[in-house]
């Protein structure tokens, strides 16, 4: 009988220990869920860092309904640029009107780029647009005034346009023809288009505002064959042959001390 009682006590103790072990067995930590959440958060940050620059720049273009409104909005900027960089405000405005479609073209409306300036060594925001080739890279600006400043720098920092700065600041006709001669545009009618815009909207008044000079438009215009705008490859000799005058006459007419000339420079070829 004693043996039976002892056996029952041993079984009872063993059963009790097994129950305690099962009852206090620790649960698995939820590290996997936390790890996944952390990974997801890191990935989101990486996506934000790699987002194209154009989506990170807030572009606030001005809505323009007409060319006259465009002139009202941007003439003050063109005048300031003329004061700093000696580029006729009339020319800058005419180029802006022509190249941006009076501020309504895609590059102007979505990127504040009024002069079609491409990326080149640009490190800022960009936009891609079909031009000479498909989906070319163009600069994107937070404000259009930075587009106007880049236009000024583009002309002043490139040697091929240096001859333009020998012209009078209010000589918009000379600038229009000189830009084409220096290779700014391939359109043969580019000068005529600029001049037409300047005269139609009287943009030359903004040049007068800066110079305070008597407008050149009141003077009798010289015939187109009286002047020549220096193009790439021109020399005084080749120009003299073209207009049937001597090199010495060219030098005297233009008060040149030597034979050095610049692309875009205006030369009188007939007295």
């Amino acid at each position: 009988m004693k043996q039976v009682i002892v056996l029952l006590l041993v079984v009872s103790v063993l059963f009790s220990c097994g129950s305690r072990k099962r009852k206090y067995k620790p649960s698995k930590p939820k590290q996997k869920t936390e790890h996944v959440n952390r990974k997801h958060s890191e990935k989101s940050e990486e996506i934000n860092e790699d987002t194209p620059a154009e989506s990170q720049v807030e572009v606030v273009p001005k809505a323009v309904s007409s060319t006259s409104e465009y002139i009202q909005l941007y003439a003050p900027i063109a005048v300031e640029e003329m004061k700093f960089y000696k580029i006729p405000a009339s020319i800058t405005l005419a180029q802006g009107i022509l190249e941006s479609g009076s501020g309504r073209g895609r590059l102007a409306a979505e990127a504040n780029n009024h002069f079609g300036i491409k990326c080149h060594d640009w490190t800022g925001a960009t936009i891609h647009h079909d031009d000479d080739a498909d989906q070319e890279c163009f600069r994107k600006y937070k404000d259009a005034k930075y587009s106007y400043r880049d236009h000024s720098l583009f002309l002043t920092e490139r040697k091929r346009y240096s001859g333009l700065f020998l012209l009078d600041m209010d000589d918009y006709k000379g600038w229009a023809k000189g830009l084409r001669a220096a290779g700014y545009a391939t359109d043969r009618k580019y000068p005529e288009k600029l001049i037409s815009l300047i005269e139609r909207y009287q943009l030359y008044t903004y040049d007068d505002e800066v110079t305070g000079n008597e407008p050149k438009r009141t003077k009798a215009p010289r015939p187109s064959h009286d002047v020549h705008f220096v193009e790439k490859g021109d020399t005084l000799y080749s120009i003299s042959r073209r207009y049937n005058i001597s090199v010495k006459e060219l030098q005297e007419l233009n008060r040149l001390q030597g034979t050095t000339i610049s692309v875009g420079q205006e030369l009188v070829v007939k007295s």
Side-chain angles (χ1 to χ4, degrees):
M1 185 65 180
K2 290 181 179 179
Q3 292 177 345
V4 173
I5 293 172
V6 170
L7 181 60
L8 290 173
L9 288 172
V10 170
V11 171
S12 175
V13 170
L14 290 174
F15 180 81
S16 175
C17 290
S19 299
R20 281 198 299 270
K21 287 181 181 178
R22 285 192 298 272
K23 183 176 180 180
Y24 295 103
K25 185 177 180 180
S27 59
K28 293 182 180 180
K30 296 183 179 181
Q31 293 180 349
K32 185 175 181 181
T33 303
E34 294 172 357
H35 180 68
V36 170
N37 287 342
R38 184 163 59 252
K39 287 276 289 184
H40 177 73
S41 176
E42 291 170 356
K43 187 174 181 182
S44 297
E45 292 173 0
E46 290 174 0
I47 290 174
N48 289 336
E49 291 171 359
D50 294 338
T51 300
E54 57 261 40
S55 64
Q56 296 180 2
V57 173
E58 183 182 358
V59 177
V60 187
K62 296 180 175 67
V64 182
S65 60
S66 67
T67 300
S68 296
E69 187 178 350
Y70 181 93
I71 294 166
Q72 278 188 320
L73 284 170
Y74 297 107
I77 299 175
V79 167
E80 286 302 306
E81 293 301 305
M82 182 176 181
K83 291 177 181 177
F84 281 113
Y85 295 98
K86 315 304 180 187
I87 300 168
S90 59
I91 285 291
T92 302
L93 278 172
Q95 286 187 287
I97 292 168
L98 185 60
E99 297 176 31
S100 74
S102 296
R104 288 171 284 184
R106 179 173 179 257
L107 289 178
E110 296 182 22
N112 277 324
N113 189 332
H114 287 235
F115 301 93
I117 299 178
K118 297 181 181 180
C119 291
H120 301 301
D121 56 351
W122 178 252
T123 58
T126 62
I127 185 173
H128 289 80
H129 181 73
D130 292 347
D131 192 53
D132 297 327
D134 292 341
Q135 292 299 289
E136 289 192 86
C137 184
F138 290 85
R139 300 182 183 190
K140 189 174 187 178
Y141 305 93
K142 185 176 181 179
D143 191 287
K145 65 182 179 181
Y146 301 120
S147 173
Y148 272 74
R149 176 53 52 89
D150 260 4
H151 170 265
S152 298
L153 295 174
F154 182 84
L155 294 180
T156 56
E157 293 177 353
R158 284 163 175 75
K159 190 176 180 180
R160 59 181 170 144
Y161 299 115
S162 60
L164 294 172
F165 294 89
L166 300 176
L167 301 172
D168 292 338
M169 275 199 297
D170 57 354
D171 184 7
Y172 63 86
K173 291 184 179 179
W175 269 83
K177 295 172 183 176
L179 282 169
R180 167 69 175 83
Y184 187 93
T186 56
D187 184 356
R188 290 178 178 270
K189 295 185 177 180
Y190 191 75
E192 287 80 0
K193 290 177 181 178
L194 293 182
I195 293 170
S196 175
L197 285 168
I198 291 169
E199 295 182 344
R200 184 188 313 163
Y201 294 100
Q202 299 182 1
L203 303 181
Y204 43 69
T205 58
Y206 298 107
D207 299 340
D208 301 340
E209 181 181 328
V210 176
T211 63
N213 296 334
E214 185 71 18
K216 280 193 171 185
R217 60 190 175 279
T218 61
K219 299 179 181 179
R222 292 178 297 187
S224 59
H225 63 271
D226 281 357
V227 297
H228 173 81
F229 288 88
V230 178
E231 299 182 5
K232 187 177 180 180
D234 280 350
T235 63
L236 283 183
Y237 178 73
S238 66
I239 296 170
S240 68
R241 291 289 301 272
R242 179 172 178 178
Y243 294 98
N244 197 30
I245 61 174
S246 68
V247 171
K248 185 177 180 180
E249 285 178 301
L250 269 178
Q251 291 173 317
E252 290 175 350
L253 285 171
N254 295 280
R255 299 179 183 179
L256 299 176
Q257 299 299 318
T259 58
T260 302
I261 53 178
S262 305
V263 173
Q265 183 176 350
E266 181 183 16
L267 294 178
V268 178
V269 293
K270 183 178 179 181
S271 177

